[in-house]
Structures are given as C-alpha cells and as structure tokens.
Amino acid sequence: MTPPQGDLENDAHLAAAAATGDGAAFATLYGRYESRVYNICLRITGDREDAADATQEAFLSVLRRLREGERPVRSFPAYLFTSARHAAANVAERRNRTTPAGEAPEPAPSPSAPRDLTSDPEGAALLAGLQESVRAANTSLPERQREVLALRELGELSYDEIASAMDLNRNAVSQLIWRARIGLRDAMRASAVASIVATSQDCERALPLIAAVDDGERAEPGDRAWLDGHLAGCVRCRLGQDALVEAGASYRAWLPVAPAAALGPA
C-alpha cells in the first residue's frame, strides 16, 4: 500500500533536512525504511551479507544525492527503493566477479517462523516449509524478475514507479510481473506448467492486464470490459488468473527477515 500523503510529505521534509546535514532526520528515515530496503536487497541478491552491504550502499547513495542538491524528492520510498534495486544489482555483480567459476555463493538461510506460531509446532513447520519453498523458487528466477517482485510486493511501488526505477514502460512492467509470478509458481511446483503462455494476440494482451488488475492498478474502462469478455471465453487465461493469485499469495507468505543488529546509519 502506498504511504498516505501525510507520510510522504513528512518523508520529504526529513529528506530535505537530511540534505542539509541533519543527522537525526536521516536516522529517522533509516529506521523507518531499513527493514524494507534490507528485504528488497535480500530477495534480489539471495545473500544476507550482500543484502546488508546493499542496504548501506542504498542509503548512502540517497544521502549523497540529496546533499548534491538534486530536485526535491516527491516520493522518498520510491526514490530509496530504486536506489536499493541498483545497489543490490551492483553488490551481486561484484560477488559474481569474485566467486570462482563453478562455486556458487552460500544461499541465504530461510526466514524463521514468527514467534506467535511457536506454540503450534505443526503450523510453524508448515509456514517455514512454505517460506523455504518460495525462497528457493525466487532464487531460480532471472534477476530482473526478482527485482520486479521485490519492488512490487515489498516496496509496494506502483507500476509507473517500477517502470521509472527499471527504465521500462508500463506495459513491459506488467509483462515482467506476469512472467515472474508464473515462473515463481512453476518453480515451486517443480513442474513445467509454463504452458500457461499466450497462444494468441488476445491472450498476449490479456495476461499482463490480468496482473495489473489483480494488483489494483488503473485500467482503461474499455480494457477492463474487454478483459471480462475475453476471460469468459478463454480457459487458458482463466487458469492464468488462478495461477497469478496463487503465486502472489505464496510470495506474500514469505515473511520479511529482521536486519542484523549491526546495521545502522553510522
């Protein structure tokens, strides 16, 4: 959910103060967004240490840009999460350059179940198993698909904001989100259910539109009416709609991980 306008205005004031050297303002912003930035970076890099490094880089990069006198920030979260996406990609690229060929980095540990489930061992085990399955499936996705899911689900950015962050147009974002969610679902099922693909120009138009509508994104009245008519007669796209819902629910069941205590706006 996009932060209320009041929160965005408060963020903008804090960002302006941080640009003038107000350390307390920057610390407030850091405390407010550290966990989300860390988890976005973790889901892109797949490694806790890399995520911690990328978190620090993202905040420092934003602070540096603010102090260099860039134009006022209208949406600090979108600005910060875009920086997080770039920082995570840079850290992952450095890690790949230093990892010997044939030797993969250690995967990030799966997040532990929340404390309120410890009284229910069976429920905790099921949740932990689901989260590990989602984590492993996410790791198998191409980097840009991991990025778009993290920005959408954790950063809660709109399609327009994601398009700006990733240098894409809005339709390309819809396509990427669709492919990422289907890829996640297929990887979790460990099966070739990738047969849910566009088999006609109408399906090619419908599938990304399904993703956008499911995310509550704006759609032209004509597009929505057309989609309803198409779904009424296309079994494949109805299956695709069900798959999207399943993938989205699974991804959101992957609970955020608390950053290491050592992280902070030093």
Side-chain angles (χ1 to χ4, degrees), residues 121-156:
E122 182 178 355
L126 287 172
L127 179 60
L130 173 60
Q131 293 185 107
E132 171 57 21
S133 178
V134 178
R135 185 203 65 77
N138 183 75
T139 300
S140 73
L141 297 177
E143 182 176 324
R144 287 176 72 79
Q145 292 186 11
R146 297 198 303 272
E147 291 174 357
V148 77
L149 286 179
L151 291 175
R152 178 63 195 177
E153 300 292 356
L154 289 175
E156 300 180 337

Side-chain angles (χ1 to χ4, degrees), residues 214-254:
D214 185 61
D215 278 330
E217 289 288 312
R218 58 178 172 79
E220 297 297 330
D223 285 342
R224 188 58 186 268
W226 176 87
L227 178 62
D228 291 341
H230 177 76
L231 287 173
C234 183
V235 174
R236 186 178 297 275
C237 284
R238 290 202 300 274
L239 289 174
Q241 187 175 41
D242 292 342
L244 272 184
V245 172
E246 177 186 333
S250 297
Y251 193 90
R252 287 185 284 276
W254 183 12

Side-chain angles (χ1 to χ4, degrees), residues 12-102:
H13 288 310
L14 289 170
T20 65
D22 187 335
F26 182 63
T28 298
L29 289 170
Y30 198 106
R32 186 173 293 175
Y33 289 106
E34 175 196 26
S35 179
R36 287 169 74 184
V37 169
Y38 174 78
N39 279 277
I40 286 172
C41 294
L42 179 60
R43 295 191 183 189
I44 293 173
T45 65
D47 182 90
R48 286 179 181 266
E49 290 185 8
D50 286 351
D53 289 344
T55 298
Q56 298 283 8
E57 286 191 18
F59 276 100
L60 291 175
S61 175
V62 165
L63 182 61
R64 183 168 56 250
R65 292 178 198 168
L66 290 172
R67 289 183 173 176
E68 287 173 353
E70 289 195 354
R71 62 183 181 276
V73 177
R74 295 165 116 193
S75 173
F76 183 79
Y79 189 69
L80 176 61
F81 299 151
T82 297
S83 180
R85 178 235 165 193
H86 288 299
N90 290 339
V91 169
E93 183 179 356
R94 290 201 300 270
R95 170 64 68 98
N96 290 337
R97 287 201 303 264
T98 58
T99 300

